[in-house]
Amino acid sequence: MSQRQVRRYRILGKVMFVLYIAFLVYFLCFAEWYGRTETPQGYRYNLVLFKEIMRFIEYREELGAFAVFANLFGNILIFVPYGFFISMASTCRGFFQTLLYSFALSLGVEIFQLFARVGSFDVDDLLLNTLGGILGYILFLICNIIRRKCYGQEQKIYKRADS
């Protein structure tokens, strides 16, 4: 891969990361679909781990499959790109760095939602979002292994052609 192609991929990755962060801010703070524009009178929060997760599982029939999926898997899926991009962009990438960065961003979002009253502070969301960041890191590792194998094969082909 030429330096020009590498530079293009990095620029594309940075643009995608900025677009993802803009989407994340909109979705988590301003999306009307999830009632983010409503301002409740009091603060809403959950400090008991697995309380909301168990509530969604227990009342899945009444809430419907979409609500359960959106709450449980949506919180995971929305942070998968963050774990991928932060691993791709960082020079010191690793499991614990991604864990820390994902947790820190999720905590920041939850605190913002609490004080801005555009959602609720939920420790279950912290857990699920951080898990999503870790899954993004694992996806990055898989893609990096595939890229190295393909790039290694490409290098071997070029070396044989030069011989």
Side-chain angles (χ1 to χ4, degrees):
M1 192 179 307
S2 71
Q3 289 294 335
R4 182 180 232 171
Q5 288 174 318
V6 169
R7 196 171 7 173
R8 284 183 184 165
Y9 283 126
R10 288 190 178 165
I11 290 170
L12 177 64
K14 289 176 183 178
V15 168
M16 288 174 57
F17 182 69
V18 168
L19 290 174
Y20 165 73
I21 292 297
F23 166 77
L24 190 65
V25 168
Y26 169 76
F27 185 78
L28 294 175
C29 300
F30 305 111
E32 292 177 20
W33 196 28
Y34 286 97
R36 303 290 190 217
T37 56
E38 301 168 8
T39 36
Q41 297 300 324
Y43 294 108
R44 296 185 313 180
Y45 55 90
N46 168 37
L47 301 176
V48 179
L49 193 58
F50 298 113
K51 179 181 178 182
E52 286 297 308
I53 292 172
M54 294 309 295
R55 188 176 69 84
F56 271 91
I57 292 171
E58 185 177 336
Y59 295 106
R60 67 185 175 277
E61 298 291 326
E62 292 86 356
L63 295 170
F66 180 76
V68 174
F69 181 83
N71 188 281
L72 300 181
F73 296 106
N75 277 313
I76 294 171
L77 292 176
I78 200 159
F79 266 70
V80 169
Y82 180 76
F84 184 88
F85 285 131
I86 201 71
S87 299
M88 185 174 76
S90 179
T91 54
C92 58
R93 55 182 74 112
F95 175 82
F96 291 109
Q97 287 87 358
T98 305
L99 177 81
L100 178 67
Y101 293 151
S102 298
F103 179 79
L105 179 63
S106 180
L107 181 62
V109 166
E110 293 297 320
I111 290 171
F112 175 81
Q113 286 181 341
L114 177 69
F115 289 117
R117 297 181 186 170
V118 292
S120 63
F121 183 94
D122 190 352
V123 292
D124 292 342
D125 288 352
L126 282 172
L127 174 70
L128 296 171
N129 294 343
T130 304
L131 179 61
I134 294 303
L135 291 175
Y137 172 73
I138 292 168
L139 180 64
F140 167 78
L141 288 178
I142 292 168
C143 290
N144 204 24
I145 290 168
I146 293 170
R147 180 189 61 84
R148 287 178 184 214
K149 283 186 178 182
C150 291
Y151 183 69
Q153 293 293 351
E154 190 176 294
Q155 288 293 344
K156 289 177 187 177
I157 292 170
Y158 287 138
K159 286 181 182 177
R160 280 190 227 145
D162 291 340
S163 301

